[in-house]
Amino acid sequence: MREIKGEAITQAVARLCMSANRNLPQDVRTCITQSQERESWEPARGILSKIVENYKIAEEDQLPICQDTGVACVFLEVGQEVHIQGDLEQAVNAGVHQGYLEAGLRCSVVADPLRRVNTKDNTPAVLYIRLVPGDRLKITVAPKGAGSENMSRIAMLRPSDGAQGVKDFVFKTVAEAGPNPCPPIVVGVGIGGTFDRVALLAKRALLRPLGSRHPDPYYDRSAELAKRALLRPAGSPNPDPFYAEMEQELLERINALGIGPQGLGGRTTALAVHIEVAAVHMASLPVAVNINCHVTRHESEVL
């Protein structure tokens, strides 16, 4: 049994909150650059070049990539051989408090959804915990802005709606979102599970490296397979062809909408579509769409 102190978790979360808001992951940068090279409309290429300039300035000057520094979504993969000394949730929230205040990041969280009083330190975090084999703790912080989050949707389809019904729902969700989520976007899609599980599948899909294709089928049934799937690099082998093809089909269909970067036209509406699936009741077909803007921020640390 390996012990991890709450203080170590707090420090890691603080570092990740600051870094994730300032530094765009390399896979996202590469995808934006490649989209700029492929973009045939000059105004769209110009907007993409400004996006590149923006994230470079953010990194060099250690400033937020976007003024909306988001809700702190914290994903924890906790090894079954780990003992955490102290209160885990308290340790995470202390890290969010420290990271957001120390870096001068905008604090957007209100304590109550209707009375709207700001907590002034961006706590509490939204915490997702998964047990995995081993004696390590992996922490991923993914700040989630409201502009893209507000465009997310969930539907309880009929099984008879099938793959076409799923694809139509995803396409309709993106089309109706239009310029609101600050395209080019990343589209996370969850299929299966239950009403609550499918939304988490869609959000986890946004953590996958851009350019990767759907992981091994049924990966979500096993914590270890899930862990490996999230770590799999872009272009890795053993995709599930059925969902990999659906991802590509949806990406092409979405980009044909012509919404373009920042909604001003062009062929780059989405950078990627990622689908994750789970086992489901035979009478259900839940589908969720969770959208990220081009500032698809997330960073991880392993303790």
Side-chain angles (χ1 to χ4, degrees):
M1 183 68 68
R2 180 167 171 267
E3 186 168 278
I4 298 177
K5 294 183 179 180
E7 292 88 343
I9 296 170
T10 294
Q11 294 304 315
V13 170
R15 287 192 297 269
L16 291 170
C17 284
M18 292 186 282
S19 183
N21 272 296
R22 295 166 171 170
N23 305 294
L24 203 60
Q26 186 57 51
D27 60 303
V28 182
R29 299 181 187 212
T30 299
C31 199
I32 292 172
T33 301
Q34 291 173 344
S35 297
Q36 184 182 3
E37 293 169 354
R38 291 192 299 265
E39 181 59 62
S40 57
W41 197 49
E42 183 59 37
R45 282 203 304 275
I47 293 170
L48 290 170
S49 71
K50 290 298 183 183
I51 289 174
V52 171
E53 181 182 0
N54 178 70
Y55 70 63
K56 286 183 177 179
I57 291 173
E59 182 179 40
E60 290 170 3
D61 295 345
Q62 287 298 279
L63 297 170
I65 307 168
C66 176
Q67 51 82 24
D68 185 351
T69 52
V71 171
C73 296
V74 181
F75 296 82
L76 301 180
E77 294 180 13
V78 184
Q80 293 172 334
E81 302 302 318
V82 167
H83 173 259
I84 295 169
Q85 186 185 82
D87 187 311
L88 176 59
E89 187 170 356
Q90 185 178 49
V92 169
N93 282 324
V96 172
H97 168 95
Q98 180 179 323
Y100 271 75
L101 294 186
E102 183 177 324
L105 304 175
R106 194 182 84 181
C107 298
S108 302
V109 173
V110 295
D112 183 272
L114 296 181
R115 286 171 287 191
R116 317 298 288 185
V117 178
N118 197 292
T119 65
K120 299 183 180 180
D121 64 356
N122 224 50
T123 63
V126 181
L127 192 56
Y128 309 93
I129 302 174
R130 180 161 56 187
L131 287 175
V132 299
D135 64 352
R136 293 291 184 267
L137 170 63
K138 180 181 178 184
I139 306 170
T140 301
V141 173
K144 193 69 167 68
S148 59
E149 188 75 356
N150 289 347
M151 297 299 103
S152 302
R153 298 291 184 267
I154 190 169
M156 302 300 289
L157 301 182
R158 300 180 297 268
S160 59
D161 291 326
Q164 191 59 50
V166 169
K167 289 184 285 188
D168 289 346
F169 174 72
V170 175
F171 180 77
K172 180 182 178 184
T173 298
V174 175
E176 290 180 347
N180 293 318
C182 290
I185 59 176
V186 179
V187 184
V189 180
I191 307 172
T194 54
F195 176 82
D196 55 327
R197 184 62 181 280
V198 75
L200 180 54
L201 287 172
K203 191 168 288 288
R204 283 192 180 278
L206 297 173
L207 301 180
R208 270 177 43 199
L210 300 196
S212 64
R213 281 290 167 248
H214 186 273
D216 300 329
Y218 312 120
Y219 91 94
D220 193 63
R221 294 181 182 177
S222 159
E224 179 59 23
L225 285 175
K227 182 178 180 183
R228 292 207 304 268
L230 291 176
L231 295 174
R232 180 180 286 121
S236 61
N238 301 321
D240 178 349
F242 179 81
Y243 289 107
E245 290 172 9
M246 188 181 293
E247 288 174 340
Q248 185 61 32
E249 179 185 344
L250 280 167
L251 180 61
E252 293 174 2
R253 189 177 173 190
I254 287 168
N255 281 331
L257 280 167
I259 295 171
Q262 297 299 294
L264 297 176
R267 61 185 295 181
T268 315
T269 298
L271 299 173
V273 176
H274 291 163
I275 297 172
E276 301 300 341
V277 301
V280 64
H281 190 286
M282 63 182 181
S284 296
L285 181 55
V287 184
V289 178
N290 195 217
I291 295 175
N292 253 349
C293 66
H294 63 273
V295 184
T296 295
R297 302 162 288 188
H298 50 81
E299 193 163 330
S300 301
E301 187 170 327
V302 178
L303 300 180

